[in-house]
Structures are given as C-alpha cells and as structure tokens.
Amino acid sequence: MLKIAVCVSGGGTNLGAIFDAIDAGKIKNGEIVSVISNNPGAYALERAKAHGVEAKCISPKDFGNREDFNVALLDGLKETGADLVVLAGFLVNVPAEIIREFKGRIINIHPSLIPSFCGKGYYGLKVHEGVLERGVKVTGATVHFVDEGIDTGKIIAQKAVDVLEGDTPKVLQQRVMEQAEWIILPETIAKICNGEIELG
Ligand code: GAR
C-alpha cells in the first residue's frame, strides 16, 4: 500500500475526488494516511475526519517566523511516513527542504494548462480571472511533479476544458474542476499506485 499525504488549504473538493476514487476501487494499492492544512478553517480537514483519516493543521500563524513553520511542516510530513505527497489546492510555497526530502514524490494539481496562467500570483480563482481577461478559448488543468520553482516541475497529465461565452471566474473554476481536475488527479494517483508512473 502506497501511503499518501494530502496537503490542502480550502474546500478540498480535489481531496473529495481522491477519496471517491479510493472508495470506488479506482485507486488500488494506495491509502490516504494524513491530510495536512495550513488553514485551520479548511473544510478539507472535515472531509478527512469524516473518512477517519488523520487531519492536522500546521498554520504559519502559530510560528514566530517562516523558517519555524517550514520546519514544522517538514516534520509533520515526515511523521506521516508518506511515500507520496499530493498538493490538492495547497496554497503555500513548498519550502526547498521539503522538496529535497520528498524528491520526485510530490505532485500538484494546477487549474490551467501549464505553461499558461501559472507561476507567481496564479492560484485558485485568480487563474480563471486571468484566463477570462486574456480571452483564451481553451483552458484546463495540469498535474505535475513539484520542483523548487512555482509550477515548473515535469508535467504528468493535462486535460483541456472549453471557455464559454458569459463565463464568470467561478463558473469557469467549477467547469475546470468537474471536467478536468477531479478526473486527472485521481487518475494520476491510480497510475502512481499501480506503478505506471514512477516516483523519483
Ligand atoms: C483547485 O482549483 C486547485 O487546482 C487550485 O486550488 C483549488 C482548490 O480547490 N490550486 C491552485 O491554484 C494551486 N496553484 P479544492 O480545495 O476544492 O480542491
């Protein structure tokens, strides 16, 4: 069984999609051992508890400086014993020491077709605002390995989604989640768990 830790900051619909795929037997040989959030109010933590999974909050507000928070996050992740770390709407810049410790074993879901609308400042709803401002007709989502840069790691999976006339950022966000994120993230995890995609 591959041990999976999921890092979250908000609602956790992607986490929900992973739980659904495990419950439906689409992800075999993998289990979520821990869900970690930087945000004590993240609904994702409730989703974890409802599944009987450890839910931890490690908030930067509880530490005097960023370095201490980074150490706590690293320790918290190491304690889970995870083989794979999934960033599912984790809106924290993952510190270099965590990337080094879990080299090639961290994946992220991003709500655009990288290299468009990614990098500094592009997260959550801001991505979809950028897409609508630029007027592109196709967007989507990307699953990629995490390296030291922001959204620069090796791309594993992408899925395109149409932008439609009259879309608002929220409407587009929902379509990208339904038609891309909730599909390619569990699929990628399933492939990692059955050895089709190798971890570093
Ligand atoms: C998702 O759209 C995810 O792709 C995005 O945050 C949202 C979290 O939703 N992540 C990023 O923007 C990372 N750069 P969720 O909490 O409902 O899964």
Side-chain angles (χ1 to χ4, degrees):
M1 273 285 185
L2 202 86
K3 291 184 180 167
I4 305 166
V6 185
C7 297
V8 293
S9 297
T13 63
N14 278 285
L15 172 67
I18 303 168
F19 275 131
D20 288 348
I22 292 174
D23 294 346
K26 291 181 185 162
I27 296 175
K28 297 185 184 74
N29 308 319
E31 58 169 343
I32 299 180
V33 292
S34 186
V35 171
I36 298 180
S37 179
N38 59 311
N39 168 15
Y43 183 67
L45 291 172
E46 303 309 316
R47 293 181 193 266
K49 286 179 206 157
H51 276 80
V53 168
E54 173 187 70
K56 287 201 246 196
C57 175
I58 303 174
S59 166
K61 291 188 183 135
D62 295 334
F63 299 89
N65 57 59
R66 203 69 190 179
E67 286 67 37
D68 289 352
F69 166 68
N70 288 349
V71 170
L73 192 57
L74 173 63
D75 289 347
L77 273 170
K78 283 207 287 199
E79 273 166 22
T80 68
D83 306 299
L84 170 68
V85 177
V86 177
L87 310 184
F90 188 54
L91 306 183
V92 167
N93 280 340
V94 179
E97 48 266 51
I98 292 183
I99 314 264
R100 275 197 297 275
E101 176 73 29
F102 291 90
K103 195 168 181 340
R105 294 188 287 135
I106 310 178
I107 63 169
N108 178 49
I109 178 86
H110 182 77
S112 76
L113 294 175
I114 291 175
S116 290
F117 307 104
C118 65
K120 201 168 165 26
Y122 281 116
Y123 58 88
L125 219 47
K126 291 187 191 295
V127 175
H128 307 292
E129 285 166 6
V131 163
L132 292 176
E133 264 163 36
R134 187 62 187 86
V136 296
K137 302 298 178 202
V138 177
T139 182
T142 304
V143 179
H144 63 93
F145 283 109
V146 175
D147 65 10
E148 263 111 358
I150 303 179
D151 303 328
T152 51
K154 187 174 175 229
I155 291 172
I156 305 170
Q158 290 189 304
K159 195 164 188 295
V161 174
D162 287 337
V163 180
L164 301 180
E165 205 59 46
D167 272 350
T168 63
K170 276 197 178 257
V171 166
L172 183 57
Q173 179 182 52
Q174 184 68 21
R175 187 179 313 116
V176 168
M177 284 177 159
E178 283 174 9
Q179 296 185 5
E181 296 186 48
W182 300 342
I183 298 166
I184 62 173
L185 184 58
E187 271 178 6
T188 299
I189 295 170
K191 285 182 184 169
I192 291 172
C193 289
N194 71 21
E196 269 179 75
I197 296 172
E198 250 183 71
L199 295 177

Short mmCIF file of all heavy atoms in Angstrom, two decimals, residues 10-14 88-89 91 109-111 122-124 177 181, ligand 1:
data_model
loop_
_atom_site.label_atom_id
_atom_site.label_comp_id
_atom_site.label_asym_id
_atom_site.label_seq_id
_atom_site.Cartn_x
_atom_site.Cartn_y
_atom_site.Cartn_z
N GLY A 10 -8.15 24.66 1.43
CA GLY A 10 -9.52 25.17 1.37
C GLY A 10 -10.58 24.10 1.42
O GLY A 10 -10.56 23.20 2.26
N GLY A 11 -11.49 24.18 0.46
CA GLY A 11 -12.67 23.31 0.46
C GLY A 11 -12.37 21.84 0.32
O GLY A 11 -13.09 20.99 0.84
N GLY A 12 -11.33 21.54 -0.42
CA GLY A 12 -10.93 20.14 -0.54
C GLY A 12 -11.77 19.30 -1.47
O GLY A 12 -11.92 18.09 -1.26
N THR A 13 -12.29 19.91 -2.55
CA THR A 13 -13.06 19.08 -3.49
C THR A 13 -12.14 18.10 -4.22
O THR A 13 -12.57 16.99 -4.55
CB THR A 13 -13.83 19.93 -4.52
OG1 THR A 13 -12.91 20.67 -5.32
CG2 THR A 13 -14.81 20.86 -3.84
N ASN A 14 -10.90 18.49 -4.45
CA ASN A 14 -9.97 17.53 -5.06
C ASN A 14 -9.66 16.38 -4.10
O ASN A 14 -9.57 15.23 -4.52
CB ASN A 14 -8.68 18.23 -5.49
CG ASN A 14 -8.83 18.91 -6.83
OD1 ASN A 14 -8.86 18.25 -7.87
ND2 ASN A 14 -8.98 20.22 -6.82
N ALA A 88 -3.21 19.29 -3.10
CA ALA A 88 -4.55 19.37 -3.69
C ALA A 88 -5.18 20.70 -3.25
O ALA A 88 -5.94 20.75 -2.29
CB ALA A 88 -5.39 18.18 -3.25
N GLY A 89 -4.78 21.77 -3.94
CA GLY A 89 -5.26 23.08 -3.52
C GLY A 89 -4.51 23.55 -2.29
O GLY A 89 -5.10 24.10 -1.37
N LEU A 91 -2.15 26.14 -0.97
CA LEU A 91 -1.73 27.45 -1.45
C LEU A 91 -0.57 28.02 -0.63
O LEU A 91 -0.59 29.15 -0.16
CB LEU A 91 -2.94 28.40 -1.47
CG LEU A 91 -4.14 27.86 -2.26
CD1 LEU A 91 -5.28 28.87 -2.30
CD2 LEU A 91 -3.77 27.42 -3.67
N ILE A 109 -1.83 19.67 -8.32
CA ILE A 109 -2.85 19.95 -9.35
C ILE A 109 -2.92 21.47 -9.52
O ILE A 109 -3.02 22.21 -8.53
CB ILE A 109 -4.22 19.35 -8.99
CG1 ILE A 109 -5.29 19.69 -10.03
CG2 ILE A 109 -4.71 19.76 -7.61
CD1 ILE A 109 -5.38 18.77 -11.19
N HIS A 110 -2.84 21.91 -10.78
CA HIS A 110 -2.94 23.36 -11.07
C HIS A 110 -4.09 23.57 -12.05
O HIS A 110 -4.20 22.85 -13.04
CB HIS A 110 -1.62 23.89 -11.64
CG HIS A 110 -1.67 25.36 -11.89
ND1 HIS A 110 -1.56 26.28 -10.86
CD2 HIS A 110 -1.88 26.07 -13.02
CE1 HIS A 110 -1.69 27.49 -11.37
NE2 HIS A 110 -1.88 27.39 -12.68
N PRO A 111 -4.93 24.61 -11.80
CA PRO A 111 -6.13 24.75 -12.63
C PRO A 111 -5.94 25.54 -13.92
O PRO A 111 -6.73 26.44 -14.22
CB PRO A 111 -7.10 25.47 -11.67
CG PRO A 111 -6.21 26.31 -10.82
CD PRO A 111 -4.92 25.55 -10.67
N TYR A 122 -0.63 33.22 -9.63
CA TYR A 122 -1.71 32.45 -10.26
C TYR A 122 -2.09 31.26 -9.38
O TYR A 122 -1.43 30.22 -9.41
CB TYR A 122 -1.29 31.95 -11.64
CG TYR A 122 -1.37 32.99 -12.72
CD1 TYR A 122 -0.22 33.42 -13.38
CD2 TYR A 122 -2.59 33.55 -13.09
CE1 TYR A 122 -0.28 34.39 -14.37
CE2 TYR A 122 -2.66 34.51 -14.09
CZ TYR A 122 -1.51 34.93 -14.72
OH TYR A 122 -1.58 35.88 -15.70
N TYR A 123 -3.14 31.44 -8.61
CA TYR A 123 -3.65 30.34 -7.78
C TYR A 123 -5.15 30.54 -7.62
O TYR A 123 -5.66 31.67 -7.72
CB TYR A 123 -2.94 30.28 -6.42
CG TYR A 123 -3.07 31.56 -5.63
CD1 TYR A 123 -4.16 31.77 -4.79
CD2 TYR A 123 -2.12 32.56 -5.75
CE1 TYR A 123 -4.30 32.96 -4.09
CE2 TYR A 123 -2.25 33.75 -5.07
CZ TYR A 123 -3.34 33.95 -4.24
OH TYR A 123 -3.48 35.13 -3.57
N GLY A 124 -5.85 29.43 -7.40
CA GLY A 124 -7.29 29.49 -7.16
C GLY A 124 -8.02 30.28 -8.24
O GLY A 124 -7.74 30.15 -9.43
N MET A 177 -12.84 22.20 -12.64
CA MET A 177 -12.77 21.14 -11.62
C MET A 177 -13.50 19.88 -12.09
O MET A 177 -12.94 18.78 -12.08
CB MET A 177 -13.41 21.62 -10.32
CG MET A 177 -12.54 22.59 -9.54
SD MET A 177 -13.44 23.16 -8.09
CE MET A 177 -12.10 23.70 -7.06
N GLU A 181 -9.91 18.62 -13.26
CA GLU A 181 -9.17 18.34 -12.03
C GLU A 181 -9.59 17.05 -11.34
O GLU A 181 -8.75 16.22 -10.98
CB GLU A 181 -9.33 19.50 -11.04
CG GLU A 181 -8.74 20.80 -11.54
CD GLU A 181 -8.80 21.89 -10.49
OE1 GLU A 181 -8.41 21.65 -9.35
OE2 GLU A 181 -9.24 23.01 -10.83
C1 GAR B 1 -8.23 23.89 -7.17
O1 GAR B 1 -8.83 24.52 -8.28
C2 GAR B 1 -6.76 23.69 -7.40
O2 GAR B 1 -6.45 23.35 -8.71
C3 GAR B 1 -6.23 25.05 -7.05
O3 GAR B 1 -6.95 25.42 -5.89
C4 GAR B 1 -8.26 24.83 -5.96
C5 GAR B 1 -8.54 24.10 -4.67
O4 GAR B 1 -9.84 23.60 -4.64
N1 GAR B 1 -4.82 25.03 -6.83
C6 GAR B 1 -4.00 26.01 -7.19
O5 GAR B 1 -4.39 27.06 -7.67
C7 GAR B 1 -2.53 25.74 -6.94
N2 GAR B 1 -1.71 26.70 -7.62
P1 GAR B 1 -10.26 22.43 -3.65
O6 GAR B 1 -9.78 22.82 -2.25
O7 GAR B 1 -11.76 22.41 -3.73
O8 GAR B 1 -9.63 21.14 -4.11
#
